[in-house]
Amino acid sequence: MAASYWESTQRRYWQFSKDELAQMREKLEESEQSLVQMFPLPQRRHLSIYFNQQLNRLGKRLGVRQQALATAQIYLKRFYCKVEIRRTNPYLVIATALYLAYFLTLDISRLGECEFFMISEMHSQLIVHQPYRTLTSLQSDFFLSQEEGNLALSIVNDHYMTDLPLLYPPHIIALTAILLALVLRPNNSGGTAANMAAATTTALAQVQAQAQAQAQMPTRTSGSSGNQNASGSEKDRQQEARAKVQRYVAFLTESAIDIEGMVDCTQELISFYECHEQYNDKITREQINRFVKARGLDKS
């Protein structure tokens, strides 16, 4: 892996603005207008959910670890920034992405051809920096409980089904996941998209307000000790939770973190979770299989 994300090909060649990403996808559809009109597909978030499910099923069968699955998801996103999906057999592309991420020895017809195609479209830039390292290193700094850490990890895993890996650095994703885990809390009831939006908006607004006031009167929140007292009262647990959020807010206030980027990441994740509620696996699968079979992409 490259020594630093900031010097990596990921940052130099595979991080885009939302406008850049939209323009790339628009050009792809314009180049294949007849296919686009002939084979309508579900919205992109639903396709990402479906691809994620197929990757997880294949990965579970082969015993592939989560970080390799995450890398495969990024390869899929990069590849489909360059190639219109209707030109490909997505199942073959999924298997190839997993092969590249984990160097499997799969006896799948045309896998070698698809591997060359994918590597070529990614210009052999296969190194991927992920949020997991940042998340692991910061868990103890913010005294995350095991449940909070697991929730943050789950959010990081979910972000691979969005455009965020193509838009923001890994550390921004990790910090957003920690924030969401702190404001939602595993034992907090009603962890809906609406509650997520309200809680994170409040926390990030607090960061911005403190940042403005810091020049005149720097704010530091000592919080409480990192010991997790399982026998504490509900009031104690609430105070501990507030202290964790305040500690986190103080950290963001005093750092040079891209708060606007975190706001955007939060909004994208909220939109994704709302979209996930309308996901229909059967419809998505049928629409993909229709163009794969109609164009003979499932044949050798």
Side-chain angles (χ1 to χ4, degrees):
M1 178 175 287
S4 167
Y5 162 79
W6 303 105
E7 301 170 358
S8 67
T9 56
Q10 180 172 340
R11 178 175 180 268
R12 286 184 289 161
Y13 303 115
W14 296 104
Q15 213 82 72
F16 311 104
S17 68
K18 285 189 174 181
D19 287 342
E20 289 172 337
L21 195 55
Q23 289 172 6
M24 292 165 63
R25 289 169 172 168
E26 185 178 353
K27 287 181 180 179
L28 282 179
E29 291 195 350
E30 288 176 352
S31 68
E32 302 286 354
Q33 282 188 351
S34 60
L35 286 177
V36 171
Q37 293 173 1
M38 190 179 304
F39 302 108
L41 290 176
Q43 61 170 289
R44 193 170 296 277
R45 286 193 181 104
H46 286 178
L47 285 175
S48 292
I49 293 169
Y50 184 75
F51 290 164
N52 178 66
Q53 290 177 347
Q54 305 313 304
L55 265 174
N56 283 334
R57 287 170 185 166
L58 181 58
K60 184 176 181 180
R61 191 177 304 171
L62 298 168
V64 178
R65 298 179 65 180
Q66 176 58 41
Q67 290 199 25
L69 289 171
T71 298
Q73 286 177 295
I74 292 183
Y75 287 169
L76 281 175
K77 291 186 180 299
R78 291 182 179 184
F79 181 71
Y80 282 130
C81 282
K82 302 289 186 179
V83 180
E84 164 55 41
I85 185 174
R86 297 165 181 85
R87 285 181 52 203
T88 71
N89 179 342
Y91 301 105
L92 180 59
V93 175
I94 287 170
T96 303
L98 193 57
Y99 170 84
L100 286 176
Y102 201 60
F103 300 106
L104 302 175
T105 55
L106 301 176
D107 184 18
I108 298 178
S109 175
R110 297 169 59 197
L111 186 62
E113 177 184 347
C114 191
E115 176 189 7
F116 177 80
F117 187 19
M118 179 173 282
I119 291 174
S120 176
E121 292 298 334
M122 292 193 294
H123 307 293
S124 299
Q125 294 158 355
L126 303 182
I127 293 175
V128 172
H129 292 259
Q130 299 172 342
Y132 297 112
R133 179 178 295 180
T134 301
L135 179 60
T136 300
S137 65
L138 291 179
Q139 278 187 270
S140 59
D141 292 348
F142 298 118
F143 305 112
L144 298 188
S145 66
Q146 182 176 350
E147 291 80 8
E148 289 165 341
N150 289 340
L151 179 55
L153 179 61
S154 177
I155 293 169
V156 167
N157 292 341
D158 289 343
H159 103 282
Y160 287 105
M161 289 181 278
T162 74
D163 285 338
L164 292 178
L166 299 175
L167 298 173
Y168 290 103
H171 72 280
I172 294 294
I173 306 300
L175 288 167
T176 302
I178 292 173
L179 175 61
L180 292 174
L182 288 175
V183 299
L184 291 179
R185 299 199 305 280
N187 297 325
N188 199 17
S189 61
T192 63
N195 289 340
M196 183 189 297
T200 53
T201 296
T202 300
L204 289 170
Q206 189 176 359
V207 173
Q208 292 170 321
Q210 287 192 13
Q212 292 173 357
Q214 189 178 25
Q216 300 167 340
M217 187 175 65
T219 302
R220 288 184 179 272
T221 304
S222 59
S224 59
S225 68
N227 297 329
Q228 303 298 318
N229 188 354
S231 62
S233 66
E234 178 62 24
K235 183 177 179 180
D236 291 337
R237 287 193 293 270
Q238 291 178 354
Q239 289 177 341
E240 176 65 19
R242 283 195 295 270
K244 286 184 181 182
V245 173
Q246 288 296 320
R247 186 184 300 111
Y248 189 76
V249 166
F251 165 79
L252 293 180
T253 301
E254 297 166 7
S255 68
I257 298 299
D258 178 10
I259 301 300
E260 293 300 324
M262 290 184 62
V263 171
D264 195 40
C265 287
T266 300
Q267 292 172 342
E268 177 63 25
L269 284 164
I270 290 169
S271 296
F272 167 74
Y273 289 128
E274 290 175 337
C275 179
H276 203 302
E277 295 174 1
Q278 282 79 48
Y279 172 71
N280 186 303
D281 185 79
K282 183 174 181 291
I283 292 176
T284 304
R285 182 175 62 254
E286 288 175 349
Q287 289 183 297
I288 291 175
N289 290 345
R290 179 171 172 261
F291 81 77
V292 169
K293 292 179 180 178
R295 302 196 64 225
L297 297 170
D298 55 337
K299 297 180 174 62
S300 299

